């Protein structure tokens, strides 16, 4: 009878949202109760589930919907061929622990059953209570605590994922590429946590809808804005303050505006110290529900670093010195900023077909200006991207989710535009740089199919390409991810990914400067590529809501980019001649155990890794270690809810030192004119010295008010590097105290730094 | 300073600088001392070889001013056996009297396109270094002139020269020297204080014709006497000098990866060159 009515079954589809704010909940599990048939919501909160007629009981479909941190919902809906059903999930409270445990277990089971591997999703809410430098929560620094992610220099936002380079990470904010993710020479990331909802870090087994970088994808999603009430959140810290306002515009629309500004300049001004630097960020988002099947989102990010130093500042600084400054005409500064805009259109064609089409623009530019006397120098560089991206989800069957789509981006590069005036033109002529237009495109398709209860395979292919200076590069990027479910607690996974990268950052490998440029491949500089295999074992402890994974990977990288020894990249329009291409290998083992729910949450990660490079023209053609080849890295992240009011968190990190090319000798040589001598240093082989291991403990304690009021505040007291141990970032040669000779030492950048911050919500 | 800012200042200083972590010690193995070769050819007169030893990075400071004459003398390799071989002939160089570590030959003929092999044996360490370099044809100036000028408060000297570029690929080194004033004693340990010098490197791939001419402006020179020389040098030596020149760039020095300079000395360091320069003296008004 049922078979007659429902034929091959029914399809249930809709959105899952937060009941209070109306925010879409991505990757929520939707299951037919008592079965293994289920799905997860996509990045826009949409799900579609084909239910076989055998699972329709009493003309009803019984569904369980769960998401970590939310109460699990179980709902019976009358069966129909197509059922549209939206769910609003309520956030969990301590009184409903059992429902929360169910949600957590569902998520763990979903992770176990999924073909996804080498991937970590972190709700931003979860990382806000973690300790940070100066109390500034920084999502990039949290990502650095994940297995397989090596940090660069201390405090920096550099990420070296599975032996890759810092420019091999695709950082997306609401689908727009963010080229410069650091403020203050990379010490702070550009992401204001108050405006963000969720982040996904992918290090391998890349889904075919992602491409363009070799080593990782960091996909960050902004909040959509509260759809039901107006509210504000913010924070006041030692280094910056933040304010976010969000709320409904109408029944169908909501907005979010978030701003952050440092006041390093203003704080130092109080003590009559002059630090002419600050940065700020603005995030904004508007979404509009056009109809049940159509939604439109607009999101924007604008951030800027500003350094400004002029004659007035000199005069103010040295007011007592009447001879200084007055006639200099001094004016120096730089601005460095990103502007991203994304317009997205979600459309539901039918219960099985969902699409997202995005129009994306990204603008990254820096301006450096200097003036002294009548000499003026202005250096500008700019990247402007305009692109379109279409992604389709086709929920063919309950056991087969098909994705396909494509992207096209037009890049405009204007590097090193130099404008000079005055006598300086004798040394440095004005130049328009070499403007370059390139196009990058890709099409992809993938099928995530469950062949049996135990075997599921995600097969994908991405075909990418780039057109530059009349030359066309193309790349076939096959992707494969598979899972074998041993039992309900154990699974093994295997993946292969091939990636192509058509852009690179022209940068010194030692220091991140505002003058670092992104530049495309050219006729002679070929695209970078990588192949990675990974094998993993997953185990879950549902009772304790703990998941464990052990992954091994091997990555081959080709056409990697380095710079000739002594290359001068600054104001150099012909830096292509300074580039070298070579290969690299990276391999290692990662262990990750995490607990996301309960009073005690956190994770422990351990990475054992090797990364090497091979360039014909570097290190005498001999293979050498990558700079951030760190053999062992351990991160322990723990958050403990001591009571309703007190939350304690700690981060302990240990890592083998990064690599350094140390001076080990010297000799005297006459200069080319034979009029004097130079002392020529002798160095080890490139990156041959491993610096001392570093370890650090960061602590934070949060205090909430006794009762929830309309305006609630939270105090955060924390410290960075509790026991004040140096994290070496270089090796110096310094005189021995008694004056007899010299010795080596490894300075650290940040010691014990206490912090206090006040976060509020109204 | 008012009280409140002072207290705040102390707090900030304490937080950010007072707690700077103590640097960690590290041991790094030092390179064994090696023989360092440098050479100079005075056309049709003399070939001079200087031998010294490399030393530990922890032995002396990082700039030439911190090296004492006594220490430099200790580095020189005395009583070495130094020979130069060419076309089946081997000449043994003699020690220059009162100048330890410097060896010369006045009898070695200078033939174009002939390979000269240097060999030096240090009896103290028992090590031998060697190198072979082809002597390239002499290339001299067709004309040289210099004019002093001043622009917007900057003094400069424009040196104009021309020369004929022989067929084939060639690389050149043009050196500019300012003669030290009479009342200053020449001190090789502090070249910047008593003599100005610049090196211009040329690659004939950038030349349009065989008759190459150029004017090189040298700022902030106020000398009355200028020496200009040109040498036809090997491609490897050109690359070596270019690398050294790049590393003198302030910005490059700040951000570069460390460079181990190339050498053409087997089992040693430095550079054996056989180029012979054409040196011109110009007296300015």
């Amino acid at each position: 009878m049922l078979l007659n009515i429902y034929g091959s079954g029914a399809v249930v589809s809709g959105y899952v949202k937060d009941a209070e704010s109306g925010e879409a909940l991505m990757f929520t599990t939707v299951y037919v109760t008592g079965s293994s048939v289920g799905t997860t919501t996509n990045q826009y909160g949409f799900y579609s589930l084909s239910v076989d007629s055998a699972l329709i009981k009493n003309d009803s479909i019984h569904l369980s919907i769960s998401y970590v941190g939310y109460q699990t919902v179980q709902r019976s809906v009358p069966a129909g061929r197509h059922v549209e059903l939206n769910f609003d999930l309520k956030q969990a409270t301590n009184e409903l622990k059992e429902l929360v445990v169910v949600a957590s277990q569902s998520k763990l089971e979903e992770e176990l059953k999924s073909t996804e591997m080498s991937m970590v999703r972190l709700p931003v809410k979860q990382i806000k209570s973690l300790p940070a430098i100066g109390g500034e929560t920084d999502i990039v620094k949290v990502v650095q605590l994940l297995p397989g992610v090596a940090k660069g220099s201390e405090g920096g936002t550099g990420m070296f994922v599975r032996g890759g380079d810092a420019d091999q990470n695709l950082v997306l904010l609401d689908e727009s590429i963010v080229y410069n993710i650091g403020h203050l020479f990379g010490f702070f990331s550009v992401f204001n946590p108050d405006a963000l909802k969720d982040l996904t870090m992918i290090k391998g087994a890349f889904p075919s809808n992602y491409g363009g970088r070799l080593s990782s994808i960091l996909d960050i999603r902004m909040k959509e804005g509260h759809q039901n009430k107006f509210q504000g959140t913010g924070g006041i810290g030692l280094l910056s303050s933040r304010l976010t306002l969000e709320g409904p515009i109408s029944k169908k629309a909501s907005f979010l505006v978030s701003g952050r500004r440092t006041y390093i300049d203003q704080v130092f001004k109080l003590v009559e110290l002059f630090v002419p630097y600050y940065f700020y960020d603005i995030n904004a988002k508007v979404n509009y529900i056009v109809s049940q099947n159509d939604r439109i989102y607009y999101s924007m990010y604008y951030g800027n670093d500003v350094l400004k130093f002029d004659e007035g500042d000199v005069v103010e600084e040295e007011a007592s010195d009447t001879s200084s400054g007055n006639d200099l005409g001094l004016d120096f500064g730089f601005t460095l900023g990103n502007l991203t805009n994304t317009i997205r259109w979600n459309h539901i064609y039918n219960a099985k077909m969902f699409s997202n089409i995005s129009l994306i623009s990204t603008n990254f530019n820096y301006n450096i200006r200097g003036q002294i006397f009548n000499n003026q120098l202005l250096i500008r560089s700019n990247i402007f991207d305009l692109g379109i991206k279409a992604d389709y989800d086709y929920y063919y069957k309950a056991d087969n989710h098909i994705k396909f789509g494509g992207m096209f981006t037009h890049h405009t590069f204007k590097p090193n535009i130099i404008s000079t005036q005055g006598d300086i033109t004798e040394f440095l002529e004005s130049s328009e740089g070499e403007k370059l237009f390139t196009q990058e495109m890709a099409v992809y398709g993938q099928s995530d199919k469950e062949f049996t209860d135990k075997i599921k395979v995600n097969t994908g292919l991405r075909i990418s390409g780039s057109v530059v200076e009349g030359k066309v590069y193309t790349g076939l990027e096959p992707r494969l991810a598979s899972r074998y479910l041993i039992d309900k607690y154990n699974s093994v996974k295997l993946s292969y990914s091939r990636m192509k990268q058509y852009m690179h950052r022209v940068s010194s490998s030692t220091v991140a400067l505002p003058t670092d440029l992104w530049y495309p491949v050219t006729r002679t500089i070929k695209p970078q590529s990588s192949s990675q295999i990974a094998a993993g074992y997953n185990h879950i402890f549902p009772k304790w809501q703990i998941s464990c994974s052990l992954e091994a990977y091997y990555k081959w990288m080709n056409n990697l980019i380095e710079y000739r020894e002594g290359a001068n990249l600054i104001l150099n329009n012909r830096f292509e001649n300074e580039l070298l291409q070579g290969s690299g290998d990276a391999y290692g083992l990662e262990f990750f155990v995490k607990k996301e729910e309960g009073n005690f949450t956190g994770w422990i990660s351990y990475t054992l890794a090797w990364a090497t490079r091979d360039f014909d023209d570097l290190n005498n053609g001999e293979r050498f270690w990558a700079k951030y080849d760190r053999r062992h890295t351990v991160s322990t992240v723990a958050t403990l809810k001591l009571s309703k009011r007190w939350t304690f968190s700690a981060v302990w990190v240990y890592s083998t030192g990064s690599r350094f090319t140390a001076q080990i000798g010297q000799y005297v040589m006459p200069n080319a004119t034979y009029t004097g001598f130079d002392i020529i240093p002798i160095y080890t082989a490139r990156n041959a010295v491993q610096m001392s291991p570093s370890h650090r403990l960061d602590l934070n304690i949060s205090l909430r008010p006794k009762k929830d009021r309309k305006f609630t505040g939270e105090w955060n007291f924390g410290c960075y590097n509790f026991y004040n141990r140096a994290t070496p970032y270089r090796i110096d040669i310094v005189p021995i105290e008694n004056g007899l000779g010299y010795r080596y030492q490894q300075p650290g950048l940040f010691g014990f730094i206490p912090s206090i911050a006040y976060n509020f919500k109204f | 300073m008012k009280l409140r800012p002072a207290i705040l200042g102390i707090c900030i200083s304490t937080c950010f600088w007072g707690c700077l972590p103590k640097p960690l010690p590290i041991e790094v193995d030092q390179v064994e001392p090696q023989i360092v070769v440098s050479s100079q050819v005075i056309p049709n007169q003399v070939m001079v070889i200087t031998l010294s030893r490399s030393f530990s990075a922890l032995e002396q400071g990082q700039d030439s001013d911190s090296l004492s004459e006594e220490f430099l003398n200790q580095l020189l390799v005395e009583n070495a056996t130094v020979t130069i071989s060419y076309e089946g002939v081997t000449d043994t160089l003699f020690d220059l009297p009162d100048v330890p570590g410097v060896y010369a030959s006045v009898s070695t003929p200078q033939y174009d396109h002939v390979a000269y092999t240097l060999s030096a044996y240090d009896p103290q360490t028992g090590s031998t270094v060697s190198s072979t370099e082809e002597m390239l044809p002499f290339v001299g100036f067709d004309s040289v002139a210099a004019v002093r000028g001043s622009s917007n408060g900057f003094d400069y000297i424009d040196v104009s020269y021309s020369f004929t570029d022989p067929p084939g690929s060639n690389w050149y080194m043009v050196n500019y020297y300012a003669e030290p004033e009479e009342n200053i004693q020449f001190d090789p340990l502090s070249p910047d204080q008593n003599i100005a010098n610049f090196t211009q490197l040329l690659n004939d791939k950038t030349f349009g014709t065989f008759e190459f001419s150029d004017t090189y402006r040298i700022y902030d020179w106020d000398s009355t006497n200028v020496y200009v020389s040109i040498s036809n040098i090997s491609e490897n030596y050109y690359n070596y000098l270019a690398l050294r020149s790049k590393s003198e760039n302030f910005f490059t020095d700040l951000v570069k990866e460390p460079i181990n300079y190339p050498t053409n000395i087997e089992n040693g360091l430095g550079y054996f060159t056989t180029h012979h320069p054409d040196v011109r003296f110009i007296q300015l008004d």
Side-chain angles (χ1 to χ4, degrees), chain A residues 434-479:
Chain A
E434 291 179 14
K435 193 188 279 190
L436 196 58
F437 302 101
T438 69
Q439 291 80 37
E440 198 174 336
M441 62 289 285
V443 290
Y444 72 89
Q446 71 174 35
S447 160
D448 194 30
K449 179 167 173 58
E450 190 157 20
F451 288 94
T452 68
D453 284 350
K454 290 190 179 295
I455 297 172
K456 190 173 185 183
V457 180
N458 186 318
T459 317
L461 178 67
R462 184 179 179 91
I463 303 168
S464 62
S466 181
V467 181
V468 54
E469 296 174 329
K471 185 165 177 67
V472 179
Y473 289 104
T474 55
L476 275 181
E477 304 176 37
R479 314 283 171 85

Side-chain angles (χ1 to χ4, degrees), chain A residues 642-697:
Chain A
L642 297 168
S643 68
K644 278 186 179 176
R645 298 187 65 203
W646 294 93
T647 303
F648 171 76
S649 60
V651 171
W652 185 77
V653 185
Y654 169 91
S655 68
T656 308
S658 60
R659 298 207 164 251
F660 196 76
T661 309
Q663 190 187 337
I664 52 171
Q666 47 196 330
Y667 60 96
V668 174
M669 275 290 282
N671 60 26
T673 57
Y674 295 101
T675 54
F677 292 103
D678 293 332
I679 295 184
I680 311 289
I682 305 169
Y683 295 98
T684 59
R686 195 176 176 106
N687 298 335
V689 176
Q690 188 139 46
M691 290 193 276
S692 297
S694 61
H695 46 91
R696 194 189 79 228
L697 176 66

Side-chain angles (χ1 to χ4, degrees), chain A residues 239 267-268 270-272 423 426-427 508-511 513 565-568 570 578 627 661-684 686-687 689-693 724-726 728 731 733 741-754, chain B residues 1 5 8-9 12 15 17 19-26 28-31 36-40 52 54-58 60-64 67 72 75 151-152 154 173 175 177 186 188 191 195 197-199 217 219 240-241 243-244 246 249 251-252 255-261 269-271 273:
Chain A
L239 302 176
V267 170
F268 279 89
L270 289 174
V271 292
E272 295 171 12
D423 299 328
E426 298 263 0
F427 308 98
S508 152
S509 51
T510 50
V511 183
L513 293 174
E565 290 183 324
N568 180 14
I570 297 171
E578 306 279 22
K627 186 166 181 62
T661 309
Q663 190 187 337
I664 52 171
Q666 47 196 330
Y667 60 96
V668 174
M669 275 290 282
N671 60 26
T673 57
Y674 295 101
T675 54
F677 292 103
D678 293 332
I679 295 184
I680 311 289
I682 305 169
Y683 295 98
T684 59
R686 195 176 176 106
N687 298 335
V689 176
Q690 188 139 46
M691 290 193 276
S692 297
N724 199 37
R725 183 186 158 90
I731 296 175
I733 296 174
Y742 294 79
R743 64 182 172 84
Y744 290 107
Q745 73 170 24
Q746 306 164 97
L749 216 49
F750 298 113
F752 171 79
I753 302 177
Chain B
M1 186 183 274
L8 197 56
I12 291 173
C15 290
W17 291 289
C19 293
L20 267 183
K22 191 178 170 190
L24 302 175
I26 187 171
V28 180
D29 292 339
Q30 297 298 291
V31 68
V36 181
V37 175
S38 64
S39 60
Q40 190 174 11
S52 61
S54 65
F55 53 102
S56 161
L58 302 178
Q60 288 285 324
Q62 308 294 296
D63 62 88
S64 59
L67 294 185
L72 275 175
L75 297 178
S151 169
N152 298 309
F154 293 103
M173 170 175 70
N175 284 328
Y177 321 71
F186 178 77
I195 193 161
N197 60 85
F198 289 92
T199 296
R217 175 164 291 184
Y219 280 95
Y240 166 80
L241 292 175
L243 203 55
R244 282 185 61 177
K246 277 179 178 177
N249 178 308
F251 287 110
T252 312
V255 301
K256 71 177 183 186
E257 276 290 331
I259 299 169
N260 271 322
Y261 292 98
L269 296 163
Y271 227 94
T273 57

Side-chain angles (χ1 to χ4, degrees), chain A residues 179 383-385 409-413 436-440 503:
Chain A
Y179 284 103
I383 305 172
F384 178 68
D385 290 355
T409 302
H410 179 81
H411 301 283
T412 304
F413 298 87
L436 196 58
F437 302 101
T438 69
Q439 291 80 37
E440 198 174 336
M503 294 181 73

Side-chain angles (χ1 to χ4, degrees), chain A residues 121-262:
Chain A
R121 290 198 179 94
L122 288 173
V124 171
K125 202 190 315 183
Q126 190 181 332
I127 53 188
K128 274 189 170 179
S129 59
L130 296 179
I133 295 181
E136 294 289 316
T137 303
D138 195 323
I139 60 165
V140 174
K141 285 175 190 149
V142 175
V143 169
Q144 289 172 344
L145 300 171
L146 298 173
V149 185
K151 66 179 175 13
S153 58
E154 186 186 14
T157 48
M159 295 188 294
F160 300 82
V161 181
R162 288 190 170 173
D165 291 326
D167 67 347
Q168 293 173 357
N169 308 307
L170 181 67
V171 181
L172 301 170
L173 179 64
D174 271 1
E175 304 191 33
S176 285
I177 294 176
V178 182
Y179 284 103
N180 175 43
I181 64 166
H183 286 305
L184 190 60
F185 301 104
F187 286 117
F188 297 99
S189 83
V190 299
F191 304 110
N192 174 358
D194 283 354
L196 307 178
K197 179 163 70 174
D198 197 290
L199 69 91
T200 304
M201 176 70 178
I202 309 172
K203 303 168 291 180
F206 297 98
S208 59
N209 53 319
Y210 291 112
R213 299 289 185 276
L214 297 193
S215 290
S216 82
I217 310 292
L218 182 59
D219 190 351
I220 301 166
R221 301 279 164 162
M222 281 170 58
K223 287 180 185 170
E224 287 157 18
H226 209 295
Q227 291 181 2
N228 299 321
K229 67 174 184 183
F230 178 80
Q231 75 170 37
T233 51
I236 300 166
L238 288 176
L239 302 176
S240 74
S241 283
R242 318 176 302 275
L243 179 66
T244 302
L245 301 173
E246 55 186 314
I249 298 170
S250 69
K251 281 186 178 177
K252 289 187 168 184
S254 66
F255 78 98
L256 175 140
V257 181
S258 185
R260 175 174 70 158
R261 187 197 191 276
T262 53

